[in-house]
Amino acid sequence: MTASTLCRSTAKSRIAAVCAVAVAGTLLLTACGDQTDSASTKESGSATATKDAPLADLLPKAVKDKGEIKVGSDIAYPPVEFKDESGKTVGIDPDLADALGKQLGVKFVFENGTFDTLLTGLRSKRYDLAMSAMTDTKDRQEGVDSETKKKVGEGVDFVDYFTAGVSIYTKKGDDKGISTWSDLCGKKLVVQRGTVSHDLAKAESAKCGSKGKIAIEAFDNDLEAQTRLRGGGADAGSSDFPVAAYAVKTSGGGKDFQLVGEQVEAAPYGIAVAKGNDELTKAIEAALNAVIENGEYQKIIAKWGVEAGAVTEAKINGGS
């Protein structure tokens, strides 16, 4: 869930950004806070704690002894993280977490929550990490509210693992004349609360002037926003490109939605770690670089059809 840089160059974004990214039709199979369902929403990665894991000694002793890393995630953001038909948590993030777990010798245990409260969960130590297509931004690093610019927390550190842009989508065959963000003035937009799409909509609405503000309806998750648009309750929706493209490809067998205009706000997704946990941050960075170097990262990204968002190395706090 990403911030605002048109691919042409206007605004910043939750996955695969770069204007050259393939459209939805080329995607193969191809996000998030307070605990919403405690035990029933917990999912463990397949990685098994093992003394033979090459990077296990990089972990803080408390984490290593526990044998697991708790991950806060909004598990309703396909193809990044979502439940399959059997109820299993699947997607880009769970697959990467499994790969990281093999390097570190611990299980990554996903716990479902709402996106806009994940960072609060980190601060309260409910989670060790937040991994939920979260865009790495300076505001999040510094604990600053993106709208008021007031300090609201200690901030977090990010280990960046992907690049993404934000897209607008409408009902198929009914774009309402929308091709740019300014075209949303005077219209109704649905988004997921607390995301870059939400921030962009509020910023654009403030510039609408006589055209009328954007009527923004924000939901706990992106699937709810899609349902509202599908039912005719809005003119358009916005989310990270891979998520929008996945919805276009799969919803109603590809008959419900269409992408309009260009992606905006190309920016990195980051694995969030609470400030002060430098040892854990460095361990995650090392593990990510290891799976990039051994080729497992590239296989996961290709599996979900989002190669254009791949990175070549892990970075800490690379967002702006």
Side-chain angles (χ1 to χ4, degrees), residues 152-177:
V152 293
E154 295 179 356
V156 296
D157 289 318
F158 286 100
V159 180
D160 298 337
Y161 66 99
F162 201 78
T163 304
V166 168
S167 292
I168 300 170
Y169 59 99
T170 67
K171 293 187 72 173
K172 194 162 189 176
D174 187 16
D175 64 16
K176 305 289 186 183

Side-chain angles (χ1 to χ4, degrees), residues 285-318:
E285 179 192 28
L288 181 56
N289 276 323
V291 298
I292 290 173
E293 290 169 8
N294 70 19
E296 195 166 0
Y297 171 88
Q298 292 82 357
K299 290 178 182 178
I300 292 167
I301 298 303
K303 170 185 173 180
W304 294 100
V306 291
E307 295 94 328
V311 299
T312 57
E313 66 174 331
K315 290 184 178 179
I316 294 177
N317 294 335

Side-chain angles (χ1 to χ4, degrees), residues 121-257:
L122 276 181
R123 289 196 293 270
S124 67
K125 299 184 179 180
R126 171 175 292 171
Y127 315 125
D128 300 304
L129 307 174
M131 193 172 184
S132 193
M134 184 176 290
T135 303
D136 174 2
T137 67
K138 287 295 183 185
D139 284 347
R140 284 173 175 159
Q141 292 170 25
E142 297 169 1
V144 172
D145 182 272
S146 59
E147 187 173 7
T148 65
K149 298 302 178 184
K150 292 182 179 179
K151 187 82 170 173
V152 293
E154 295 179 356
V156 296
D157 289 318
F158 286 100
V159 180
D160 298 337
Y161 66 99
F162 201 78
T163 304
V166 168
S167 292
I168 300 170
Y169 59 99
T170 67
K171 293 187 72 173
K172 194 162 189 176
D174 187 16
D175 64 16
K176 305 289 186 183
I178 298 167
S179 62
T180 68
W181 278 82
S182 62
D183 294 331
L184 292 168
C185 293
K187 296 182 172 64
K188 186 172 182 178
L189 178 73
V190 289
V191 297
Q192 181 173 353
R193 185 178 296 107
T195 62
V196 172
S197 290
H198 195 184
D199 293 341
L200 281 173
K202 289 184 285 188
E204 189 64 44
S205 184
K207 300 185 293 185
C208 284
S210 61
K211 292 185 290 184
K213 292 184 177 297
I214 301 171
I216 304 166
E217 188 171 7
F219 294 86
D220 284 343
N221 65 65
D222 201 71
L223 297 177
E224 292 176 352
Q226 292 174 23
T227 298
R228 175 73 81 180
L229 178 59
R230 188 184 301 112
D235 299 302
S238 177
S239 59
D240 292 356
F241 169 76
V243 178
Y246 187 87
V248 167
K249 179 178 175 63
T250 61
S251 181
K255 297 178 180 179
D256 288 345
F257 303 127

Side-chain angles (χ1 to χ4, degrees), residues 38-58:
S38 61
S40 65
T41 60
K42 291 185 181 181
E43 291 278 346
S44 296
S46 62
T48 303
T50 168
K51 62 183 179 181
D52 298 323
L55 301 179
D57 288 342
L58 296 181

